[in-house]
Amino acid sequence: MTGTLGAIADDFTGATDVAVAFRRGGLRTLLFFGVPPETEVLPPHDAIVIALKSRAIPAENAVSSSLEALRWLRNRKAEQIYFKYCSTFDSTPHGNIGPVLDALSRALSSDRAVMTPSSPEHGRTQYQGHLFVGETLLAESPMRDHPATPMTDSHLPRLLRAQTTTPVALVTHDIVRRGETAVREAIDGKSGYVLVDALTEDDLRLLGRVVVNAPLVAGAAGLAAGLAAARASATPLPTETRAPAGPAVVLSGSCSARTLEQVAVMLRLGRPAHRLDPVATPDPDALAAEALAWYDSLTEPGPLVYSSSSPAELKRTQEELGVERSAGILEKATGLIALGLAGRGVRRLVAAGGETSGAIVTALDVRGGVIGAEAAPGVPWIHPVGDRHPALLLKSGNFGDPDLLATASAP
């Protein structure tokens, strides 16, 4: 297939992850936050990624925004669509992975979609239909305590069947080991959604070759990389753009175990830190004003502004304010803080968490940008079009080594 590859990602950090996978694979990749206007002028490209905030919203809204992105991509001659969801299959029994897949399948008249959330680079693998995080089953990992999408089952066919009436089939790793022909034959005999086991990058490259002509494919960044390798363009990619010099601030809202480790590293290093407490200050404008006044008083570089908290602390906040209200307060405050920091000359904003990243990008009105060097696998610097915006590092909650936030914000 030689036409454009279009990707629809269900959150902003996942979109950067899949954009990096395409770029590494040799595809000239554009990344947009939200659906661009019809008048958007596009430079030469092989792939376009549209980042949505559809992972945790009501299913009907996720479907609507995904179909809007699909229409835009098809108007730009996208011949293949990749639906990017999280490598930990973040969802609830009601969606949103199943409902979005159903809608995309109908719109594309696709009777089959092959998928896997496997991403070995990030420690995610699928075996016998079960999703592992490292050596731990998904349901026994810290994801079981996720505040919005707690994952208490590791069996992917069962998880997906709870979200759709479309048949869900499984191709196990013993078939994958037999090679490309065996996988093709196994998939050709199935309809609906086909989850394929994958343990290694080689498995994903094989699967990428199998699905290179499929109208609809779904999964995490691992399969996206395999697909990109199968479609790779001969056009040389531009030299990577590294992060600019200048002041940096970390804004962390993720409550994932890895982000909590990263926050702890910054605190141990003695970095200036300000905790956002929506219970003590339930007004987002006041919460942001407090944080910016604190920033104005600093003399040390590389500060941290965070609401990340342990599952127990998060539960207490949600019991006090309600899940939606507490999230709304923090998202609005984070956006206001980002605006204030940009106005104060901050040149690098490091964001931890999908919702945090979405709030920042929305508040700064960043439509898209150039994918630069990776600070960690799947976590690239993004250089927005125009000089008025700081460079952005949008980190998914579970990504990066423990010192990532500290090193990315170092002077």
Side-chain angles (χ1 to χ4, degrees):
M1 185 175 286
T2 57
T4 298
L5 171 58
I8 301 168
D10 67 359
D11 83 338
F12 284 17
T13 54
T16 61
D17 192 19
V18 77
V20 164
F22 288 162
R23 192 178 190 277
R24 279 189 200 159
L27 303 183
R28 297 167 297 174
T29 303
L30 308 179
L31 171 62
F32 292 101
F33 299 105
V35 180
E38 290 295 334
T39 55
E40 190 76 38
V41 178
L42 304 181
H45 60 275
D46 304 300
I48 304 173
V49 180
I50 294 181
L52 302 178
K53 293 176 63 179
S54 58
R55 181 174 299 170
I57 64 177
E60 59 270 23
N61 295 342
V63 166
S64 176
S65 61
S66 299
L67 289 176
E68 182 186 0
L70 175 64
R71 284 190 291 271
W72 191 92
L73 288 167
R74 294 182 81 182
N75 286 341
R76 299 306 180 285
K77 309 303 181 185
E79 296 181 6
Q80 184 175 38
I81 299 299
Y82 192 90
F83 172 45
K84 198 280 178 188
Y85 52 71
C86 188
S87 60
T88 45
F89 211 76
D90 296 18
S91 55
T92 71
H94 307 292
N96 290 341
I97 294 174
V100 171
L101 278 170
D102 289 344
L104 295 177
S105 295
R106 286 192 297 269
L108 293 167
S109 299
S110 174
D111 60 2
R112 180 170 57 237
V114 174
M115 71 187 78
T116 181
S118 181
S119 189
E121 178 182 49
H122 300 125
R124 318 291 193 256
T125 52
Q126 179 188 321
Y127 180 69
Q128 295 295 103
H130 289 83
L131 183 55
F132 286 79
V133 177
E135 297 180 354
T136 304
L137 283 165
L138 174 66
E140 298 171 12
S141 76
M143 282 301 300
R144 70 176 294 108
D145 297 315
H146 192 283
T149 53
M151 303 307 297
T152 57
D153 190 357
S154 307
H155 192 248
L156 295 170
R158 186 164 53 234
L159 284 168
L160 189 53
R161 286 176 187 134
Q163 301 178 31
T164 179
T165 58
T166 301
V168 178
L170 174 66
V171 174
T172 55
H173 197 255
D174 62 319
I175 296 174
V176 175
R177 283 201 307 265
R178 295 178 205 162
E180 189 173 330
T181 299
V183 174
R184 288 185 186 277
E185 291 174 351
I187 289 173
D188 286 345
K190 295 174 172 58
S191 61
Y193 305 137
V194 184
L195 284 153
V196 182
D197 282 352
L199 301 180
T200 66
E201 304 294 348
D202 284 343
D203 292 341
L204 293 166
R205 282 190 288 271
L206 179 154
L207 190 54
R209 295 192 297 272
V210 169
V211 301
V212 70
N213 292 308
L216 176 63
V217 185
L223 180 53
L227 181 58
R231 297 179 56 111
S233 168
T235 304
L237 290 171
T239 302
E240 288 189 335
T241 306
R242 299 201 172 273
V249 178
V250 175
L251 296 173
S252 177
S254 170
C255 296
S256 73
R258 176 45 56 94
T259 296
L260 294 178
E261 283 185 80
Q262 292 162 341
V263 167
V265 167
M266 292 197 73
L267 296 176
R268 284 199 300 272
L269 290 172
R271 290 288 189 86
H274 178 82
R275 178 76 177 268
L276 299 177
D277 186 350
V279 174
T281 309
D283 177 354
D285 294 275
L287 197 61
E290 290 174 0
L292 291 170
W294 170 81
Y295 177 80
D296 289 338
S297 71
L298 293 179
T299 57
E300 302 167 67
L304 164 70
V305 178
Y306 70 111
S307 59
S308 302
S309 58
S310 69
E313 293 170 322
L314 178 63
K315 183 178 180 182
R316 285 194 293 271
T317 298
Q318 292 176 337
E319 287 174 347
E320 182 75 24
L321 297 174
V323 175
E324 290 188 10
R325 186 183 176 207
S326 59
I329 290 169
L330 287 171
E331 284 188 38
K332 183 177 180 183
T334 298
L336 291 170
I337 293 167
L339 275 172
L341 292 172
R344 286 162 168 78
V346 169
R347 300 303 301 149
R348 289 174 286 156
L349 284 178
V350 180
E355 297 305 313
T356 300
S357 298
I360 292 169
V361 167
T362 301
L364 294 178
D365 193 27
V366 176
R367 283 214 311 260
V370 176
I371 300 294
E374 291 174 80
V379 188
W381 284 100
I382 300 170
H383 302 268
V385 177
D387 294 331
R388 64 190 182 92
H389 294 307
L392 302 175
L393 191 74
L394 308 179
K395 186 198 84 72
S396 181
N398 290 302
F399 281 14
D401 291 333
D403 63 352
L404 173 60
L405 298 183
T407 56
S409 60

